[in-house]
Amino acid sequence: MSTAEQIRATIEPALAPLGLVIEDVTISPAGKRRVVRVLVDTDIARLDPADSSSPVPPISLDDVAEATRVVSDRLDDSDVMGGSPYVLEVSSPGVGRALKSRDQFRRQVGRLVEVVHEGGSVTGRLTEVGADRLTVEVPATKQAAARIQRIELDSVQRGTVQVEFKRADASSSAPDAADMDAGVAGVEEDH
């Protein structure tokens, strides 16, 4: 088992009570130290399986701070990092990361996304993520009327959240750019 896998196995049980899951763990050399990066996101396992369209609140800075404390304590109490010094960075994946899994898309309901799929690409508001397909509300352009596009998950190559500084529909409960920025921030600790 790799060190990243050992770290994941060590900290996963401690993050579950916080309603968080691990998206990724990476370790990279940085001089005489190692940098351990842990990306956490909202655990959607608690959502009603029939609910495919309610927005999932993004991770707050307080969530990231609490996750950092828990991860730091777990790593300090274990021998998974050995005796060598390391820097711990805990954050959310951020808006720039590629969305590939159903769960990653499900967390983005209500947001503007670009979806690249076998039939091309589409940019619009993600309104629903079902068991096997995405529903995207595509706004009107000069060349085409507004439409609803359904995309089979099997045909999706990747998706990306698009940053919005001002939403056309301000009454929506979907997060705005300020909310998304809060989830991107991370916390770093030396060990």
Side-chain angles (χ1 to χ4, degrees):
M1 185 182 298
S2 72
T3 303
E5 291 168 335
Q6 290 174 355
I7 290 171
R8 179 183 286 267
T10 300
I11 64 177
E12 227 164 14
L15 291 172
L18 302 178
L20 300 174
V21 294
I22 299 170
E23 279 290 314
D24 195 21
V25 175
T26 59
I27 303 167
S28 54
K32 295 179 180 180
R33 297 174 182 252
R34 294 178 288 175
V35 176
V36 177
R37 289 183 181 91
V38 179
L39 299 180
V40 296
D41 215 336
T42 305
D43 184 0
I44 61 171
R46 296 177 183 157
L47 290 178
D48 180 352
D51 177 6
S52 59
S53 61
S54 65
V56 176
I59 292 179
S60 71
L61 288 174
D62 290 340
D63 295 335
V64 173
E66 182 65 13
T68 301
R69 186 192 61 73
V70 167
V71 169
S72 177
D73 290 349
R74 271 296 169 106
L75 291 178
D76 288 348
D77 291 345
S78 75
D79 63 350
V80 69
M81 294 306 299
S84 61
Y86 65 95
V87 175
L88 173 64
E89 295 178 4
V90 178
S91 66
S92 71
V95 296
R97 69 119 189 257
L99 306 172
K100 296 180 180 177
S101 73
R102 180 199 177 280
D103 287 354
Q104 289 171 339
F105 277 103
R106 179 61 185 90
R107 289 183 191 102
Q108 306 311 318
V109 166
R111 294 195 171 115
L112 186 66
V113 296
E114 177 187 21
V115 180
V116 177
H117 56 96
E118 291 172 0
S121 71
V122 63
T123 300
R125 182 100 27 226
L126 184 61
T127 59
E128 186 174 2
V129 178
D132 56 357
R133 88 169 78 153
L134 307 174
T135 303
V136 179
E137 187 178 293
V138 182
T141 64
K142 291 180 182 179
Q143 294 84 16
R147 69 185 190 282
I148 301 294
Q149 184 162 347
R150 290 177 177 77
I151 305 163
E152 296 297 319
L153 275 169
D154 290 345
S155 75
V156 172
Q157 295 165 348
R158 76 177 180 287
T160 310
V161 173
Q162 303 298 295
V163 176
E164 292 182 90
F165 293 104
K166 186 175 181 182
R167 289 210 32 186
D169 177 15
S171 65
S172 172
S173 62
D176 62 12
D179 291 332
M180 292 188 327
D181 288 342
V184 176
V187 178
E188 184 177 300
E189 288 187 356
D190 273 332
H191 289 267

